[in-house]
Amino acid sequence: MTQGTGGRTPKGTTDPLALGRAIAEADRRAAHALNLVPSENRVSPLASVPLGSDFANRYFFNTAGDPLFWEFRGGEDIAHIEALGAGALRRMASARYCNLRPVSGMSAMILTVAALSAPGSAVVSVDQDSGGHYATPALLGRLGRRSRLLGCPGGRVDTEGLARALAPGDVDLVYVDVQNCVRVPDFTAMADVVRRVSPATRLYVDASHYLGLVLGGLVENPLRCGADAFGGSTHKSFPGPHKGVVFTEGKEIDESLRAAQFDLVSSHHFAQTLALSLAALEIEPRIAEYARTTRDNARRLATALADAGFRVHGDRGAGYTDTHQVWVAMDSPAAAYTLSNRLAEAGIRVNLQSSMPRMPGVHLRLGANEITFQGAGPRAIEELAAALATARERPLGPRTASGIRARFGAPFYTDPEKLGVEAGLCTC
């Protein structure tokens, strides 16, 4: 018996059929869950179609559509969809170039570091106490680069510290890698220091967590702020599949990325790329509304939790957050785990973190991105906050999640029934 999902997982069996049925049953339950994990999102029924298709088995390299270059067959009839998706992403990013080869945010990081810095050079990234990604310094070391860390607490850039880090003249790349973020760094301030102190240094913004907010115009576009490139994973605040993307205005940078990808990326996961393309084309007309609603819901959730007695990180007067993330301090690890378990039993998933910036202990890092994509509005957010408050005291009822979901409005994707009728697609 596996607790926390309300279902059974066969133990002690290696029967593939039984295990497959267990996955299918867990997936049916997951379809009704309310997910508050900021680093996850849900692909739409339309965007999920390629993921169960034959294209999950195929390589695709002929992005130019050269009729003499079909070394790997199978993608001829739908290759143009990838180009259409790249076009939608470029428009949303206001970027000349869009690289779809990374298979994840980490893949995009490796590709970017390899393309924009040389072995032995220094790379400046954000320290973990300021929300920087835990893996960046170690990854840089494995790639033969020297890590140099920058403080950026609460999004406030230590410009003097950045200038000192750049002063020796050995920094090829400033990699802005904030993963825990309720405030976004000032990219313009960073770009100004880089151009003044070390003009040859490249500035890259890993916008994985707030990519959907950048594409929706709610967070400043790093390219307009002076960054050389930006990108990251496509399944957090942007409602796409697990993939990675990199945007730039510079032809030289685009060419460097393409040169590096030849060695670092073989299969770019064609089905996932098609899914990303469909996700981009589907959300593009509503990306601004989705981004704004996501932040509004995050602020509404933060305020409701604070009103319920939770210790929400941030300034109430400033809405607690500028992104999709909401941080809630817990009294103890035991309290955090008890709350998480009770919520999971009721179909509400939260994210526990033990590495929050300047918040020692185990706390909640919540996200409004997925529930917003699915149609959550003010009433659903209020009821969700009430459920979290109740779960501090006692277990929740089995219909809690379904009751909250009943308050959802229209989602930011195509109605599955309409999709099945008009396109003849399987939505089972």
Side-chain angles (χ1 to χ4, degrees):
M1 176 77 71
T2 297
Q3 299 299 323
T5 61
R8 298 177 181 271
T9 300
K11 297 292 186 179
T13 179
T14 58
D15 176 14
L17 185 58
L19 297 173
R21 287 170 177 161
I23 292 172
E25 177 59 31
D27 185 56
R28 280 191 287 271
R29 292 194 301 273
H32 301 287
L34 298 176
N35 194 59
L36 295 175
V37 181
S39 52
E40 298 174 352
N41 213 317
R42 185 182 295 267
V43 293
S44 72
L46 173 62
S48 69
V49 169
L51 301 179
S53 72
D54 179 60
F55 303 111
N57 309 310
R58 307 301 158 205
Y59 285 97
F60 175 64
F61 298 105
N62 193 5
T63 54
D66 184 345
L68 301 179
F69 188 65
W70 286 108
E71 296 178 344
F72 290 81
R73 311 299 305 214
E76 295 94 324
D77 294 338
I78 45 79
H80 63 289
I81 296 176
E82 179 174 316
L84 292 172
L89 288 163
R90 282 197 303 269
R91 288 190 295 273
M92 286 186 279
S94 299
R96 186 173 303 170
Y97 301 101
C98 171
N99 191 309
L100 296 179
R101 301 308 291 191
V103 298
S104 66
M106 188 68 75
S107 175
M109 178 191 290
I110 293 170
L111 180 63
T112 303
V113 171
L116 303 184
S117 66
S121 67
V123 175
V124 174
S125 63
V126 178
D127 67 49
Q128 195 170 351
D129 284 342
S130 300
H133 198 285
Y134 73 93
T136 306
L139 182 145
L140 293 172
R142 289 179 180 274
L143 294 179
R145 276 68 172 174
R146 291 176 289 115
S147 172
R148 203 166 288 167
L149 295 174
L150 173 70
C152 192
R156 298 183 299 277
V157 179
D158 180 1
T159 54
E160 293 183 359
L162 178 57
R164 287 194 299 272
L166 294 169
D170 59 347
V171 177
D172 279 0
L173 176 65
V174 175
Y175 191 95
V176 185
D177 58 328
V178 180
Q179 67 163 350
N180 292 315
C181 53
V182 292
R183 307 294 177 199
V184 178
D186 186 338
F187 309 131
T188 300
M190 290 183 168
D192 288 346
V193 174
V194 171
R195 300 299 171 250
R196 173 171 55 85
V197 178
S198 183
T201 297
R202 301 294 193 186
L203 175 60
Y204 177 83
V205 175
D206 186 332
S208 291
H209 264 275
Y210 42 87
L211 180 64
L213 307 185
V214 172
L215 300 187
L218 202 66
V219 168
E220 280 197 288
N221 188 317
L223 298 180
R224 304 287 81 79
C225 297
D228 295 287
F230 82 97
S233 59
T234 58
H235 60 269
K236 295 181 173 67
S237 61
F238 187 80
H242 282 236
K243 271 287 292 178
V245 65
V246 179
F247 301 102
T248 184
E249 287 280 82
K251 181 179 181 181
E252 178 186 350
I253 292 175
D254 181 64
E255 290 175 346
S256 296
L257 291 167
R258 294 185 183 281
Q261 78 189 28
F262 185 80
D263 302 309
L264 296 174
V265 183
S266 176
S267 170
H268 73 322
H269 296 185
F270 191 29
Q272 277 82 356
T273 308
L274 293 172
L276 175 58
S277 297
L278 292 177
L281 290 163
E282 185 177 31
I283 197 66
E284 183 182 13
R286 302 185 67 190
I287 187 64
E289 180 189 1
Y290 165 70
R292 183 180 63 254
T293 306
T294 296
R295 188 179 68 180
D296 288 349
N297 277 343
R299 289 177 169 176
R300 190 173 288 116
L301 177 62
T303 301
L305 289 173
D307 289 345
F310 284 97
R311 291 184 292 125
V312 179
H313 174 87
D315 179 8
R316 186 185 183 98
Y320 293 105
T321 180
D322 290 334
T323 70
H324 64 301
Q325 293 189 14
V326 175
W327 301 350
V328 180
M330 300 299 296
D331 293 333
S332 68
Y337 290 120
T338 297
L339 177 62
S340 176
N341 289 339
R342 286 175 177 170
L343 291 168
E345 290 286 352
I348 301 172
R349 302 169 179 172
V350 296
N351 182 209
L352 298 183
Q353 285 281 315
S354 58
S355 59
M356 299 295 289
R358 306 189 181 195
M359 293 174 64
V362 179
H363 305 290
L364 298 183
R365 186 185 66 159
L366 308 177
N369 39 316
E370 183 171 327
I371 57 172
T372 298
F373 188 57
Q374 293 181 293
R379 187 171 180 183
I381 295 295
E382 294 291 338
E383 293 193 10
L384 191 55
L388 266 70
T390 299
R392 285 181 303 182
E393 308 301 328
R394 57 178 173 79
L396 297 169
R399 298 184 181 278
T400 301
S402 59
I404 296 172
R405 185 178 289 279
R407 310 300 185 192
F408 281 20
F412 283 88
Y413 53 77
T414 306
D415 187 309
E417 293 184 6
K418 180 179 180 183
L419 178 67
V421 171
E422 295 192 354
L425 299 170
C426 175
T427 57
C428 55

